[in-house]
């Protein structure tokens, strides 16, 4: 590569795919420090993120990925299989993506492929990685598909404490743009904001009410309580999904998905 760089007549060699890949791999793996070639160290953030790092010069789209204790270099495959009780189970769609793409980012592509083949189900059972409040809404609105999967729980300390002061314990009047706290006090302000590109509503309560509130320790560690909610439709979709996966008959519905785990295994 140094010789190509020195020789103008040889510059065309950079256009050869093999030379270009070699150059990119070297740039990603090594750097010059005081004239010395140094291997970039992964745990010191010297390597590019997995989504950009070429893991094999023989397959430059293969990426390193990790899922819990499993690591691999390659791709991800998403299988959609029917699960009618009295019929054979059929794989009806296969989507292959780069291994670093989130499952939730692939779901719209899977649903569109099913729609193109007129194979959309009325209910689609997926694992947690494929669900989000926004995807519950999108599935219903775009494809009239009831997306069924375990919704992530509220991880805020108030929700984990289970003492009745989680965001879901506040009454929200979306039309009036006002919330009421479990102690019956109305909210003080209501702002629209964005979080990772998604609309959010940020609601604050008044220091006058929260300051002397007898249950403040269970509700907030600040001078006053604030809650951040998704927009109206995703908020309700998430609440509904959380309520559904807490019902006694949830395992009967969701256990049908066990078949696909067998197929993948
Ligand atoms: S701390 Fe504030 S928001 Fe929380 S219950 Fe008391 S008054 Fe209501």
């Amino acid at each position: 590569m140094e010789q190509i760089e020195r020789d103008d007549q040889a510059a065309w060699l950079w256009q050869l795919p093999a030379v270009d890949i070699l150059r990119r791999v070297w740039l990603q793996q090594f750097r010059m420090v005081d004239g010395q070639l140094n291997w970039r160290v992964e745990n010191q953030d010297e390597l590019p993120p997995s989504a950009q790092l070429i893991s094999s010069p023989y397959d430059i789209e293969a990426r390193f990925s990790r899922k819990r204790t499993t690591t691999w270099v390659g791709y991800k495959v998403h299988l959609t299989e029917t699960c009618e009780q009295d019929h054979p189970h059929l794989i009806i769609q296969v989507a292959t993506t780069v291994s670093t793409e989130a499952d939730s980012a692939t779901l719209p592509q899977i649903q569109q492929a099913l729609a193109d083949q007129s194979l959309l189900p009325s209910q689609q059972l997926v694992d947690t990685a494929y669900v989000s409040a926004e995807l519950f809404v999108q599935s219903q609105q775009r494809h009239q598909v009831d997306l069924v999967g375990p919704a992530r729980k509220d991880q805020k300390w108030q929700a984990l404490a289970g003492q009745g002061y989680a965001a879901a314990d506040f009454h929200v009047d979306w039309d009036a743009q006002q919330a009421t706290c479990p102690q019956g006090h109305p909210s003080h302000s209501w702002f629209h904001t964005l979080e990772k590109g998604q609309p959010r509503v940020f609601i604050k309560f008044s220091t006058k009410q929260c300051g002397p509130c007898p249950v403040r320790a269970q509700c907030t560690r600040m001078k006053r309580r604030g809650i951040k909610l998704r927009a109206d439709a995703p908020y309700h979709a998430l609440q509904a999904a959380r309520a559904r996966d807490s019902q006694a008959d949830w395992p009967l519905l969701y256990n049908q998905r066990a078949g696909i785990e067998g197929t993948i295994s």
Side-chain angles (χ1 to χ4, degrees):
M1 286 191 293
E2 282 174 358
Q3 290 204 3
I4 298 173
E5 224 158 58
R6 279 198 291 267
D7 183 354
D8 287 346
Q9 299 288 313
W12 63 274
L13 286 168
W14 291 124
Q15 287 161 30
L16 295 180
V19 176
D20 178 49
I21 294 165
L22 179 68
R23 181 184 64 82
R24 286 160 58 193
V25 169
W26 270 72
L27 279 174
Q28 290 188 344
Q29 298 290 340
F30 299 96
R31 65 195 177 106
M32 296 295 279
V33 179
D34 299 331
Q36 285 284 323
L37 198 59
N38 280 266
W39 211 344
R40 293 182 191 270
V41 183
E42 184 179 7
N43 60 12
Q44 290 177 14
D45 287 338
E46 293 176 354
L47 284 176
S50 280
Q52 286 153 31
L53 187 69
I54 296 173
S55 292
S56 164
Y58 305 105
D59 184 349
I60 60 167
E61 290 177 351
R63 291 289 179 267
F64 171 82
S65 199
R66 181 192 308 273
K67 187 168 186 182
R68 289 186 281 277
T69 53
T70 304
T71 61
W72 75 101
V73 171
Y75 299 83
K76 243 187 210 178
V77 64
H78 306 259
L79 308 181
T80 304
E81 188 180 70
T82 61
C83 56
E84 304 299 326
Q85 293 246 328
D86 303 324
H87 291 80
H89 293 185
L90 296 174
I91 294 173
I92 56 169
Q93 210 274 329
V94 179
T96 307
T97 67
V98 290
S99 63
T100 48
E101 181 169 296
D103 296 344
S104 57
T106 310
L107 186 78
Q109 172 195 328
I110 293 170
Q111 289 181 332
Q112 190 54 53
L114 290 168
D116 292 345
Q117 300 290 324
S118 303
L119 288 172
L120 276 173
S122 55
Q123 275 190 326
Q124 188 176 19
L125 310 181
V126 293
D127 75 24
T128 312
Y130 293 86
V131 303
S132 71
E134 288 73 22
L135 286 171
F136 285 127
V137 176
Q138 277 177 32
S139 298
Q140 195 57 250
Q141 288 182 346
R142 285 191 195 156
H143 300 295
Q144 294 75 55
V145 168
D146 177 18
L147 189 65
V148 180
R152 287 185 185 83
K153 305 294 178 211
D154 183 350
Q155 295 298 318
K156 300 249 172 3
W157 65 268
Q158 295 96 331
L160 297 176
Q163 293 178 321
Y165 295 94
D169 297 313
F170 288 60
H171 174 74
V172 184
D173 184 337
W174 292 88
D175 293 331
Q177 300 201 339
Q178 186 146 71
T180 306
C181 79
Q183 289 287 308
H185 298 296
S187 54
H188 176 70
S189 58
W190 176 289
F191 294 107
H192 292 275
T193 178
L194 286 176
E195 191 174 80
K196 294 182 186 162
Q198 298 292 342
R200 297 282 185 267
V201 174
F202 191 35
I203 304 166
K204 282 185 181 171
F205 288 79
S206 140
T207 28
K208 269 194 197 152
Q209 307 284 7
C210 297
C213 176
V215 295
R216 183 151 70 100
Q218 285 113 283
C219 186
T220 182
R221 292 169 181 161
M222 314 296 275
K223 286 184 180 158
R224 60 175 169 163
R225 180 68 189 270
I227 53 173
K228 201 185 300 172
L229 306 179
R230 290 176 160 79
D232 194 354
Y235 172 80
H236 284 106
L238 185 61
Q239 299 299 91
R242 283 174 177 163
R244 174 155 72 180
D245 67 32
S246 312
Q247 301 284 319
D249 58 356
W250 166 255
L252 273 180
L253 171 64
Y254 192 62
N255 280 357
Q256 298 174 88
R257 206 193 139 263
I260 195 70
E261 293 293 353
T263 302
I264 290 167
S265 181

